[in-house]
């Protein structure tokens, strides 16, 4: 299997299995998309994508509607995207994506998590080249779907890799082609289960169980923070 299923393995291993962590982050993504492009999913591709991802994680419809309502109300918060790069225990590389309405709070918290758990934040841009930023799309293979034909259809929209395993298809493209790919899937009438931008390590490293346990303490602190939207590492 290729990089698509390396990604899938990594996705399965991620720690966001707890609804109390996941749901607020999904709702925030919906708020950000709705505030930027309006609350009508039919007119706002970014909002449609955020809702697809929320439904994939079983975010209730009432939560989705509430997030859109907050974003389009007069008291809507203004969120800013801010990223952090750092090294954790045993030299693990960590890239943290945040969306915050209080940058001072977020900076202080992220630095504290690293410093108290055997790591340190490094200057922005120090580690970014160690990760490939990719657009990842998941969908189910239907009986009438010809993957070879589909691959040819998607190549013009930026497809780099398409793989299928036990009925689940994963398509990978460069992050700059996220919109083109999303539009093409809509044109083809393919219902996506998930559409995300991910940072995938281009030099993954193996860590022992003991090392991963220590690294996990830092990752858990980061992922528990309400301002953190995603955490990526070079763990193989």
């Amino acid at each position: 299997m290729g990089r698509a299923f390396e990604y899938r393995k990594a996705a399965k291993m991620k720690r966001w299995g707890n609804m109390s962590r996941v749901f607020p982050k999904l709702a925030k993504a919906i708020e950000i998309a709705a505030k930027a492009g309006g609350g009508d999913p039919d007119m706002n591709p970014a909002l449609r994508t955020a809702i697809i991802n929320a439904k994939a994680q079983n975010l209730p419809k009432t939560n989705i509607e509430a997030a859109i309502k907050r974003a389009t109300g007069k008291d809507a918060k203004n969120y800013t995207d801010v990223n952090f790069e750092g090294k954790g225990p045993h030299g693990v590389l960590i890239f943290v994506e945040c969306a915050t309405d209080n940058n001072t709070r977020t900076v202080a918290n992220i630095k504290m998590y690293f410093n108290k758990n055997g790591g340190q934040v490094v200057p922005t841009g120090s580690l970014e080249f160690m990760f490939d930023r990719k657009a990842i799309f998941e969908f189910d293979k239907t009986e009438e779907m010809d993957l070879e034909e589909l691959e040819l259809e998607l190549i013009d929209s930026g497809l780099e890799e398409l793989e299928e395993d036990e009925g689940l298809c994963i398509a990978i493209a460069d992050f700059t082609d996220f919109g083109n790919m999303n539009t093409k899937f809509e044109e083809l009438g393919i219902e996506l289960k998930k559409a995300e931008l991910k940072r995938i390590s281009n030099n993954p490293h193996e860590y022992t169980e003991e090392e991963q346990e220590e690294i996990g303490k830092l990752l858990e602190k980061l992922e528990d923070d309400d301002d953190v939207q995603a955490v990526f590492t070079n763990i193989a």
Side-chain angles (χ1 to χ4, degrees):
M1 292 295 177
R3 284 173 62 86
F5 284 89
E6 288 177 19
Y7 151 77
R8 185 184 176 194
K9 177 186 173 185
K12 281 184 175 180
M13 296 299 288
K14 69 181 181 180
R15 291 167 175 77
W16 283 11
N18 188 325
M19 287 188 297
S20 63
R21 290 179 182 173
V22 180
F23 282 6
K25 299 177 192 296
L26 295 170
K28 184 182 283 189
I30 291 171
E31 280 189 59
I32 293 169
K35 184 171 175 59
D40 183 356
D42 292 333
M43 303 298 292
N44 185 344
L47 179 57
R48 284 202 300 276
T49 301
I51 291 173
I52 286 171
N53 293 332
K55 287 181 176 178
Q57 298 285 347
N58 299 313
L59 183 69
K61 184 179 178 181
T62 52
N63 295 45
I64 293 172
E65 292 171 346
I68 295 173
K69 188 175 180 180
R70 285 195 300 272
T72 54
K74 62 179 181 179
D75 297 324
K77 292 181 179 179
N78 292 312
Y79 290 108
T80 302
D81 292 330
V82 57
N83 298 331
F84 298 89
E85 298 164 48
K87 293 185 177 181
H90 310 289
V92 66
L93 306 183
I94 303 175
F95 198 104
V96 186
E97 294 181 347
C98 300
T100 180
D101 61 343
N102 185 328
N103 194 57
T104 302
R105 174 193 67 218
T106 305
V107 171
N109 285 345
I110 298 300
K111 286 184 175 179
M112 178 185 67
Y113 301 142
F114 273 95
N115 293 339
K116 288 191 173 182
N117 291 276
Q120 63 177 20
V121 172
V122 299
T124 301
S126 301
L127 305 180
E128 191 161 12
F129 71 98
M130 300 294 291
F131 294 85
D132 294 327
R133 200 173 185 207
K134 297 295 182 182
I136 312 286
F137 303 88
E138 290 187 18
F139 58 96
D140 289 325
K141 182 181 183 300
T142 59
E143 288 185 7
E144 63 273 13
M145 193 178 285
D146 185 317
L147 291 185
E148 288 188 6
E149 285 186 13
L150 178 59
E151 192 167 14
L152 292 174
E153 288 269 12
L154 293 172
I155 282 175
D156 287 341
S157 298
L159 179 72
E160 294 180 354
E161 182 180 355
L162 175 64
E163 292 193 18
E164 180 263 336
D165 182 44
E166 297 179 355
L168 176 69
C169 297
I170 294 179
I172 294 182
D174 188 76
F175 79 98
T176 57
D177 287 313
F178 184 87
N180 295 333
M181 290 283 289
N182 226 346
T183 299
K184 191 64 179 179
F185 278 117
E186 289 186 358
E187 288 176 2
L188 295 171
I190 295 174
E191 185 175 346
L192 295 172
K193 297 180 71 174
K194 200 177 290 186
E196 300 176 297
L197 290 173
K198 293 283 186 182
R199 297 179 192 270
I200 302 175
S201 172
N202 52 41
N203 187 24
H205 185 77
E206 296 274 358
Y207 294 90
T208 66
E209 283 189 26
E210 292 78 8
E211 289 171 338
Q212 287 196 45
E213 187 172 342
E214 195 173 343
I215 293 167
K217 293 176 183 177
L218 170 55
L219 299 182
E220 191 167 344
K221 289 292 184 183
L222 291 168
E223 290 167 352
D224 274 343
D225 191 285
D226 288 341
D227 294 334
V228 173
Q229 288 297 97
V231 179
F232 307 101
T233 75
N234 70 327
I235 298 175

